[in-house]
Amino acid sequence: MECTWTRKDLLSIYDLSADEIRMILNTAAEFKKVSERKVKKVPALRGKTVVNLFVEPSTRTRISFELAEQRLSADIINMSTDASSLKKGETLLDTVKNIKSLQVDIVVMRHSASGSPNFLARHLKAGIVNAGDGAHEHPTQALLDIFTMREKKGSIEGLNVSIVGDILHSRVARSNIWGLLKLGAKVTIAGPSTLVPKEFERIGVRVCDRLKDALEGADVINLLRIQHERQRAGFFPSTNEYARVFGLNRETMKYVKPDALIMHPGPINRGVELDSAIADGPQSVILEQVTNGLAVRMAVLFLIGGCIKND
Ligand code: CP
């Protein structure tokens, strides 16, 4: 039975029930059909104002949210650090107070500080959508990843999903792990031991030290971007060493099932975590993830738009 959506905010996947996740995925499936029509625009958010507050760089998420808002007929305000008074030292709370006085309906927020969308949600009646906060969560990325897996594999229950890379600092990994476990997938994580906390075993995740163990038997392999600053901080010896031991390439593809999906949230470090031949190869669904991101973000904004009450 479908649940009823009651949240004004989407702050994390951790907060959601399995039914709420399914409701977003099912709503996204309907919006994907809209995106395939000749007329792709619907009036669902007509008269509503959405602020995109991106205080950290983004390509995919920012463009995807903006297009989703346009497709839903919302009025849009784009704010970024470089083009706002945040650069002049204005505090986030002062920015929030200004947003509040403009009576906007939804704020989509990316910030390097974990928990900043929760802070916003406590101070605003507007709906808050977390577009990635520090190393905490990136809920819409996980939803579009899970949507893509479900679309390709039919069901998430019992699916073997391996996430490879810097789990310790990855908001994408955290959101994926919570969502996949809630929907009954079997989740494996792998990478250098300095970047793959053993503590994840306590919530039912399999932790591997060797790439081969994570690849064999996996239905989905989700590779994470290796952040170069982690190498400078000593989490692994060198980028070349990482590519040799944990990179997915023609050599390591021999452990991968022929029907396994290769996923990556982007941006890709080609030749490090993933070789171009695999990223652009027949098992890659990376660009389909981007396409599905639009439908998922339309669904999230649509559901939240139905729950907000103006100040
Ligand atoms: N996947 C993702 O969040 O990409 P961007 O940083 O480009 O938004």
Side-chain angles (χ1 to χ4, degrees):
M1 199 176 70
E2 192 97 296
C3 68
T4 309
W5 187 264
T6 55
R7 294 178 187 273
K8 82 164 184 72
D9 309 304
L10 176 65
L11 303 175
S12 71
I13 299 292
Y14 178 84
D15 290 338
L16 301 181
S17 68
D19 278 345
E20 285 174 310
I21 296 171
R22 282 189 209 103
M23 186 173 187
I24 297 173
L25 300 180
N26 294 343
T27 309
E30 294 306 313
F31 278 118
K32 186 160 180 180
K33 289 182 206 156
V34 172
S35 293
E36 286 157 3
R37 290 192 325 217
K38 204 168 166 191
V39 178
K40 297 174 172 56
K41 212 160 169 167
V42 292
L45 292 187
R46 186 179 289 156
K48 301 237 187 284
T49 305
V50 183
V51 173
N52 296 311
L53 178 59
F54 278 70
V55 191
E56 200 192 59
S58 167
T59 300
R60 278 146 290 270
T61 312
R62 187 175 50 78
I63 291 172
S64 180
F65 267 114
E66 194 173 333
L67 186 55
E69 292 149 13
Q70 286 173 5
R71 294 274 170 90
L72 294 169
S73 308
D75 297 319
I76 303 165
I77 300 167
N78 289 317
M79 286 179 68
S80 63
T81 322
D82 284 348
S84 76
S85 289
L86 286 162
K87 195 164 183 176
K88 299 180 198 161
E90 183 170 77
T91 65
L92 186 57
L93 185 57
D94 279 337
T95 304
V96 167
K97 284 178 181 167
N98 281 277
I99 292 173
K100 195 171 181 174
S101 50
L102 291 171
Q103 294 177 316
V104 305
D105 299 288
I106 298 175
V107 180
V108 176
M109 184 195 203
R110 168 166 292 193
H111 203 289
S112 56
S114 300
S116 42
N118 301 62
F119 171 78
L120 228 65
R122 281 196 300 276
H123 285 87
L124 293 181
K125 281 190 186 157
I128 308 298
V129 182
N130 180 3
D133 63 328
H136 175 224
E137 283 228 26
H138 192 346
T140 58
Q141 179 67 47
L143 289 164
L144 74 90
D145 292 343
I146 294 170
F147 182 94
T148 306
M149 293 176 211
R150 192 177 79 157
E151 186 175 62
K152 294 283 174 190
K153 294 290 183 185
S155 166
I156 300 299
E157 183 137 29
L159 211 60
N160 287 306
V161 180
S162 289
I163 306 172
V164 181
D166 178 358
I167 310 293
L168 181 65
H169 303 98
S170 174
R171 55 194 178 209
V172 174
R174 270 175 192 73
S175 291
N176 261 275
I177 289 168
W178 290 125
L180 289 164
L181 291 178
K182 282 170 196 259
L183 296 186
K186 294 179 212 149
V187 181
T188 296
I189 55 176
S193 55
T194 47
L195 295 173
V196 181
K198 278 270 177 207
E199 283 72 26
F200 276 94
E201 284 177 347
R202 281 197 232 151
I203 58 166
V205 172
R206 183 170 75 115
V207 179
C208 289
D209 296 331
R210 297 194 315 162
L211 179 65
K212 176 177 180 285
D213 297 337
L215 298 183
E216 284 175 341
D219 301 303
V220 177
I221 298 148
N222 199 353
L223 299 148
L224 302 176
R225 182 175 71 91
I226 272 298
Q227 300 168 29
H228 294 290
E229 61 270 27
R230 308 296 173 214
Q231 192 247 309
R232 287 192 289 276
F235 284 96
F236 54 95
S238 71
T239 307
N240 282 348
E241 177 75 359
Y242 182 89
R244 194 179 64 75
V245 180
F246 288 103
L248 192 60
N249 49 45
R250 282 210 171 93
E251 177 60 21
T252 47
M253 271 300 280
K254 69 181 180 220
Y255 303 119
V256 175
K257 291 202 296 186
D259 64 344
L261 306 178
I262 307 297
M263 304 181 76
H264 193 301
I268 304 170
N269 289 306
R270 288 175 181 261
V272 183
E273 67 267 8
L274 183 58
D275 269 14
S276 284
I278 317 301
D280 305 326
Q283 288 179 247
S284 169
V285 293
I286 294 169
L287 292 178
E288 287 171 78
Q289 287 173 258
V290 177
T291 303
N292 291 335
L294 176 63
V296 162
R297 288 173 177 126
M298 286 176 81
V300 166
L301 292 165
F302 169 77
L303 291 169
I304 282 176
C307 287
I308 42 175
K309 294 173 186 69
N310 267 328
D311 284 350

PDB file of all heavy atoms in Angstrom, residues 57-62 110 138 141 171 265-267, ligand 1:
ATOM      1  N   PRO A  57      30.799  23.778  -5.000  1.00  0.00           N
ATOM      2  CA  PRO A  57      30.637  23.532  -6.445  1.00  0.00           C
ATOM      3  C   PRO A  57      29.764  22.327  -6.767  1.00  0.00           C
ATOM      4  O   PRO A  57      29.707  21.357  -6.006  1.00  0.00           O
ATOM      5  CB  PRO A  57      32.079  23.267  -6.918  1.00  0.00           C
ATOM      6  CG  PRO A  57      32.957  23.849  -5.874  1.00  0.00           C
ATOM      7  CD  PRO A  57      32.210  23.742  -4.576  1.00  0.00           C
ATOM      8  N   SER A  58      29.088  22.411  -7.913  1.00  0.00           N
ATOM      9  CA  SER A  58      28.236  21.311  -8.390  1.00  0.00           C
ATOM     10  C   SER A  58      27.964  21.524  -9.872  1.00  0.00           C
ATOM     11  O   SER A  58      27.756  22.665 -10.301  1.00  0.00           O
ATOM     12  CB  SER A  58      26.912  21.310  -7.630  1.00  0.00           C
ATOM     13  OG  SER A  58      25.971  20.474  -8.263  1.00  0.00           O
ATOM     14  N   THR A  59      27.978  20.452 -10.633  1.00  0.00           N
ATOM     15  CA  THR A  59      27.523  20.532 -12.024  1.00  0.00           C
ATOM     16  C   THR A  59      26.190  19.796 -12.134  1.00  0.00           C
ATOM     17  O   THR A  59      25.136  20.399 -12.351  1.00  0.00           O
ATOM     18  CB  THR A  59      28.556  19.894 -12.981  1.00  0.00           C
ATOM     19  OG1 THR A  59      29.771  20.612 -12.846  1.00  0.00           O
ATOM     20  CG2 THR A  59      28.088  19.970 -14.433  1.00  0.00           C
ATOM     21  N   ARG A  60      26.245  18.464 -11.974  1.00  0.00           N
ATOM     22  CA  ARG A  60      25.077  17.615 -12.201  1.00  0.00           C
ATOM     23  C   ARG A  60      23.889  17.980 -11.318  1.00  0.00           C
ATOM     24  O   ARG A  60      22.769  18.169 -11.799  1.00  0.00           O
ATOM     25  CB  ARG A  60      25.423  16.136 -11.920  1.00  0.00           C
ATOM     26  CG  ARG A  60      26.110  15.419 -13.048  1.00  0.00           C
ATOM     27  CD  ARG A  60      27.088  14.415 -12.480  1.00  0.00           C
ATOM     28  NE  ARG A  60      28.171  15.151 -11.879  1.00  0.00           N
ATOM     29  CZ  ARG A  60      29.276  15.502 -12.548  1.00  0.00           C
ATOM     30  NH1 ARG A  60      29.444  15.092 -13.765  1.00  0.00           N
ATOM     31  NH2 ARG A  60      30.213  16.225 -11.981  1.00  0.00           N
ATOM     32  N   THR A  61      24.129  18.080 -10.002  1.00  0.00           N
ATOM     33  CA  THR A  61      23.016  18.271  -9.065  1.00  0.00           C
ATOM     34  C   THR A  61      22.338  19.626  -9.303  1.00  0.00           C
ATOM     35  O   THR A  61      21.111  19.718  -9.331  1.00  0.00           O
ATOM     36  CB  THR A  61      23.548  18.164  -7.625  1.00  0.00           C
ATOM     37  OG1 THR A  61      24.358  16.990  -7.528  1.00  0.00           O
ATOM     38  CG2 THR A  61      22.415  18.073  -6.628  1.00  0.00           C
ATOM     39  N   ARG A  62      23.156  20.662  -9.479  1.00  0.00           N
ATOM     40  CA  ARG A  62      22.606  22.021  -9.647  1.00  0.00           C
ATOM     41  C   ARG A  62      21.788  22.123 -10.939  1.00  0.00           C
ATOM     42  O   ARG A  62      20.644  22.591 -10.934  1.00  0.00           O
ATOM     43  CB  ARG A  62      23.768  23.032  -9.672  1.00  0.00           C
ATOM     44  CG  ARG A  62      23.343  24.482  -9.672  1.00  0.00           C
ATOM     45  CD  ARG A  62      24.552  25.399  -9.563  1.00  0.00           C
ATOM     46  NE  ARG A  62      25.603  25.085 -10.521  1.00  0.00           N
ATOM     47  CZ  ARG A  62      25.590  25.425 -11.807  1.00  0.00           C
ATOM     48  NH1 ARG A  62      24.568  26.089 -12.304  1.00  0.00           N
ATOM     49  NH2 ARG A  62      26.584  25.096 -12.616  1.00  0.00           N
ATOM     50  N   ARG A 110      23.147  23.038  -1.154  1.00  0.00           N
ATOM     51  CA  ARG A 110      24.402  22.271  -1.063  1.00  0.00           C
ATOM     52  C   ARG A 110      25.376  23.079  -0.214  1.00  0.00           C
ATOM     53  O   ARG A 110      25.544  24.280  -0.425  1.00  0.00           O
ATOM     54  CB  ARG A 110      25.011  22.010  -2.427  1.00  0.00           C
ATOM     55  CG  ARG A 110      26.430  21.474  -2.281  1.00  0.00           C
ATOM     56  CD  ARG A 110      26.992  20.881  -3.497  1.00  0.00           C
ATOM     57  NE  ARG A 110      26.327  19.652  -3.860  1.00  0.00           N
ATOM     58  CZ  ARG A 110      26.817  18.811  -4.778  1.00  0.00           C
ATOM     59  NH1 ARG A 110      27.954  19.080  -5.379  1.00  0.00           N
ATOM     60  NH2 ARG A 110      26.175  17.720  -5.090  1.00  0.00           N
ATOM     61  N   HIS A 138      23.715  12.752   0.691  1.00  0.00           N
ATOM     62  CA  HIS A 138      23.362  13.314  -0.624  1.00  0.00           C
ATOM     63  C   HIS A 138      22.126  12.516  -1.073  1.00  0.00           C
ATOM     64  O   HIS A 138      22.211  11.648  -1.929  1.00  0.00           O
ATOM     65  CB  HIS A 138      24.538  13.135  -1.582  1.00  0.00           C
ATOM     66  CG  HIS A 138      24.439  13.902  -2.862  1.00  0.00           C
ATOM     67  ND1 HIS A 138      23.265  14.485  -3.312  1.00  0.00           N
ATOM     68  CD2 HIS A 138      25.379  14.179  -3.808  1.00  0.00           C
ATOM     69  CE1 HIS A 138      23.501  15.083  -4.468  1.00  0.00           C
ATOM     70  NE2 HIS A 138      24.772  14.920  -4.788  1.00  0.00           N
ATOM     71  N   GLN A 141      21.029  11.948  -4.774  1.00  0.00           N
ATOM     72  CA  GLN A 141      21.958  11.109  -5.542  1.00  0.00           C
ATOM     73  C   GLN A 141      21.658   9.632  -5.277  1.00  0.00           C
ATOM     74  O   GLN A 141      21.591   8.823  -6.212  1.00  0.00           O
ATOM     75  CB  GLN A 141      23.408  11.437  -5.155  1.00  0.00           C
ATOM     76  CG  GLN A 141      24.443  10.586  -5.891  1.00  0.00           C
ATOM     77  CD  GLN A 141      24.506  10.878  -7.386  1.00  0.00           C
ATOM     78  OE1 GLN A 141      24.547  12.032  -7.783  1.00  0.00           O
ATOM     79  NE2 GLN A 141      24.506   9.840  -8.225  1.00  0.00           N
ATOM     80  N   ARG A 171      29.388  11.297   1.188  1.00  0.00           N
ATOM     81  CA  ARG A 171      27.956  11.456   1.472  1.00  0.00           C
ATOM     82  C   ARG A 171      27.125  10.577   0.541  1.00  0.00           C
ATOM     83  O   ARG A 171      26.046  10.110   0.905  1.00  0.00           O
ATOM     84  CB  ARG A 171      27.552  12.923   1.347  1.00  0.00           C
ATOM     85  CG  ARG A 171      27.904  13.567   0.009  1.00  0.00           C
ATOM     86  CD  ARG A 171      27.799  15.068   0.089  1.00  0.00           C
ATOM     87  NE  ARG A 171      28.159  15.741  -1.147  1.00  0.00           N
ATOM     88  CZ  ARG A 171      28.666  16.960  -1.193  1.00  0.00           C
ATOM     89  NH1 ARG A 171      28.866  17.648  -0.092  1.00  0.00           N
ATOM     90  NH2 ARG A 171      28.946  17.530  -2.350  1.00  0.00           N
ATOM     91  N   PRO A 265      28.705   8.383  -9.454  1.00  0.00           N
ATOM     92  CA  PRO A 265      27.887   9.600  -9.301  1.00  0.00           C
ATOM     93  C   PRO A 265      28.426  10.790 -10.081  1.00  0.00           C
ATOM     94  O   PRO A 265      27.702  11.764 -10.299  1.00  0.00           O
ATOM     95  CB  PRO A 265      27.956   9.869  -7.786  1.00  0.00           C
ATOM     96  CG  PRO A 265      29.213   9.204  -7.326  1.00  0.00           C
ATOM     97  CD  PRO A 265      29.425   8.021  -8.232  1.00  0.00           C
ATOM     98  N   GLY A 266      29.720  10.715 -10.488  1.00  0.00           N
ATOM     99  CA  GLY A 266      30.356  11.852 -11.140  1.00  0.00           C
ATOM    100  C   GLY A 266      30.767  12.900 -10.117  1.00  0.00           C
ATOM    101  O   GLY A 266      30.203  12.930  -9.020  1.00  0.00           O
ATOM    102  N   PRO A 267      31.717  13.762 -10.394  1.00  0.00           N
ATOM    103  CA  PRO A 267      32.579  13.710 -11.572  1.00  0.00           C
ATOM    104  C   PRO A 267      33.592  12.565 -11.487  1.00  0.00           C
ATOM    105  O   PRO A 267      34.067  12.248 -10.409  1.00  0.00           O
ATOM    106  CB  PRO A 267      33.291  15.079 -11.543  1.00  0.00           C
ATOM    107  CG  PRO A 267      33.241  15.522 -10.112  1.00  0.00           C
ATOM    108  CD  PRO A 267      32.033  14.917  -9.499  1.00  0.00           C
TER     109      PRO A 267
HETATM  110  N1   CP B   1      27.030  13.666  -8.255  1.00  0.00           N
HETATM  111  C1   CP B   1      27.186  14.967  -7.881  1.00  0.00           C
HETATM  112  O1   CP B   1      26.780  15.396  -6.800  1.00  0.00           O
HETATM  113  O2   CP B   1      27.793  15.742  -8.832  1.00  0.00           O
HETATM  114  P1   CP B   1      27.968  17.321  -8.720  1.00  0.00           P
HETATM  115  O3   CP B   1      28.945  17.578  -7.587  1.00  0.00           O
HETATM  116  O4   CP B   1      28.501  17.760 -10.055  1.00  0.00           O
HETATM  117  O5   CP B   1      26.632  17.910  -8.406  1.00  0.00           O
END
